[in-house]
Amino acid sequence: MNKQLLKETISLLKEAKLEHCSSEDSMAIELSQAIENLEKLQESDSSDKAVIILSILGKVLYKLPEIKEFFQSLGE
């Protein structure tokens, strides 16, 4: 995997977390864990694992508005 692509993806995820999640939000916690996992992979040379994690994360982020709406409805 292109290390620059991984670095840019981590930066984008951090920005998305800051813009769309509050600190106590469960999505923020999960996103933080995903970012941490990707940073660990960035330090090693586990590109296959990074591709799998990015694929899963992409699916989660695609559904982020629906997931956030669901959790907000639980709080009402």
Side-chain angles (χ1 to χ4, degrees):
M1 169 173 268
N2 183 332
K3 291 186 181 273
Q4 183 60 31
L5 177 62
L6 183 58
K7 182 179 178 180
E8 289 173 11
T9 302
I10 292 169
S11 294
L12 288 171
L13 291 173
K14 287 179 179 180
E15 286 178 34
K17 181 183 158 212
L18 286 174
E19 291 180 21
H20 300 288
C21 299
S22 64
S23 59
E24 67 276 353
D25 191 347
S26 63
M27 183 57 66
I29 294 167
E30 291 180 26
L31 195 52
S32 293
Q33 184 62 50
I35 291 168
E36 184 179 322
N37 291 344
L38 289 171
E39 288 174 333
K40 287 178 185 175
L41 287 174
Q42 186 179 27
E43 295 169 6
S44 67
D45 192 25
S46 303
S47 58
D48 292 338
K49 291 178 185 177
V51 169
I52 293 168
I53 290 173
L54 287 174
S55 174
I56 293 168
L57 190 57
K59 291 175 185 174
V60 170
L61 290 176
Y62 179 77
K63 296 286 187 180
L64 182 62
E66 295 170 18
I67 293 169
K68 191 170 185 176
E69 184 178 307
F70 171 74
F71 282 114
Q72 286 175 339
S73 70
L74 290 177
E76 294 176 352

